[in-house]
Amino acid sequence: MKPLIIANWKCNPKTRKDAEELFNKVKNGVKNTQKAEIVIAPPFVWLPILRGMTLAAQDCAWEECGPYTGEVSPQMLEGFGVKYVIIGHSERRIHFKETDEMINKKLKAILKAGLRPVLCIGEKKGENAKTIVSGQIETDLKDIAEKDLEKVIIAYEPIWAISTNEGEICSPEQAKAMLNFIRTKFNHRIIYGGSVDSKIVNGYLKVGFEGVLVGGASLRPDEFIKLIKNV
Ligand code: PGA
């Protein structure tokens, strides 16, 4: 299986022109690369204008439609070439107060729409990583049938290792201990996220992660292309 490399653009870039430019640079830069499955996760509004690479959304609603001002449902995303939906990102948990119960509802809605959830889990600095991720996995994946679990991807992202937080490096060896722990609870694809760049990417893949979720480095097209070519 090729490693899955997801570019999480977060709330960037600021203009349509910049989004198209970034996307096209990456698309052209990686067009002859077969080494990885590359997915771009831009803000919702750029999804309909970006064509030619696999897309992911950064969040979604848990209902198909209805009186939910501001929300975008998985069914709506499906029509725009979206294959994956990131959910439970620490920024959504922290800034928008998303709970594990909400994330569990979103995960079910994503599966119902035939899309693949990328469930982010991870601990804050100073928290007990195993306790936190166990709780997250238990609630976020509650009542998901085994045949559906294999469509789920878990992204382990220690929150303190995200470049815009403390940005400390969680070494591949350190991350591997958590990978092994998560595997005792979830036996499908697990990827890593947190300050991944072109230099360290292979470290995480070598210890057994089956892909990476890339934030900051995915906004720098030369660096992101280099990251993919280094895989
Ligand atoms: P980062 O972000 O690569 O900038 O650390 C990763 C993420 O938050 O998904």
Side-chain angles (χ1 to χ4, degrees):
M1 209 195 303
K2 286 185 198 174
L4 177 66
I5 300 185
I6 306 179
N8 178 11
W9 286 5
K10 309 192 178 184
C11 190
N12 297 291
K14 241 182 264 177
T15 67
R16 173 180 182 154
K17 186 173 161 285
D18 290 349
E20 285 172 329
E21 218 171 275
L22 172 59
F23 185 81
N24 289 331
K25 271 195 192 156
V26 171
K27 187 165 87 173
N28 292 330
V30 302
K31 67 170 178 264
N32 298 318
T33 312
Q34 304 297 323
K35 289 180 186 170
E37 181 181 356
I38 307 158
V39 179
I40 308 290
F44 285 129
V45 287
W46 311 134
L47 289 170
I49 61 162
L50 304 177
R51 284 287 160 271
M53 294 186 80
T54 306
L55 298 174
Q58 298 175 13
D59 183 32
C60 69
W62 60 71
E63 296 289 347
E64 289 180 20
C65 59
Y68 305 98
T69 303
E71 292 290 286
V72 175
S73 78
Q75 279 73 16
M76 295 168 184
L77 295 167
E78 200 251 321
F80 291 96
V82 172
K83 185 170 167 191
Y84 299 93
V85 185
I86 298 171
I87 41 162
H89 192 280
S90 54
E91 287 150 16
R92 296 218 54 89
R93 293 177 188 261
I94 294 166
H95 304 309
F96 305 101
K97 306 284 175 271
E98 278 191 16
T99 63
D100 288 304
E101 287 72 21
M102 288 155 82
I103 293 160
N104 176 248
K105 288 205 271 182
K106 291 183 181 200
L107 196 134
K108 288 174 182 159
I110 295 165
L111 290 167
K112 192 170 166 213
L115 303 176
R116 300 193 59 180
V118 178
L119 169 65
C120 300
I121 59 171
E123 80 286 359
K124 290 188 188 134
K125 194 176 169 69
E127 283 182 335
N128 182 306
K130 290 184 179 171
T131 310
I132 295 294
V133 304
S134 302
Q136 289 171 333
I137 292 172
E138 196 176 314
T139 312
D140 298 347
L141 296 179
K142 194 163 180 251
D143 300 327
I144 307 294
E146 187 53 42
K147 68 167 188 11
D148 284 332
L149 276 182
E150 61 189 47
K151 297 177 193 141
V152 177
I153 294 144
I154 284 191
Y156 171 60
E157 296 202 301
I159 298 172
W160 48 272
I162 290 177
S163 65
T164 44
N165 297 339
E166 286 88 348
E168 285 172 30
I169 299 299
C170 174
S171 70
E173 277 314 310
Q174 217 178 332
K176 184 184 173 190
M178 283 308 292
L179 171 66
N180 292 341
F181 178 73
I182 296 166
R183 273 216 187 108
T184 63
K185 302 178 179 295
F186 176 80
N187 201 15
H188 304 286
R189 190 176 252 209
I190 304 167
I191 65 175
Y192 177 80
S195 298
V196 177
D197 63 14
S198 61
K199 291 191 272 305
I200 204 168
V201 60
N202 283 328
Y204 298 110
L205 299 178
K206 271 192 200 129
V207 298
F209 286 98
E210 295 175 291
V212 284
L213 182 55
V214 186
S218 75
L219 297 171
R220 303 194 299 275
D222 294 340
E223 170 61 13
F224 189 60
I225 292 164
K226 196 163 148 199
L227 183 156
I228 288 160
K229 291 196 169 160
N230 278 357
V231 164

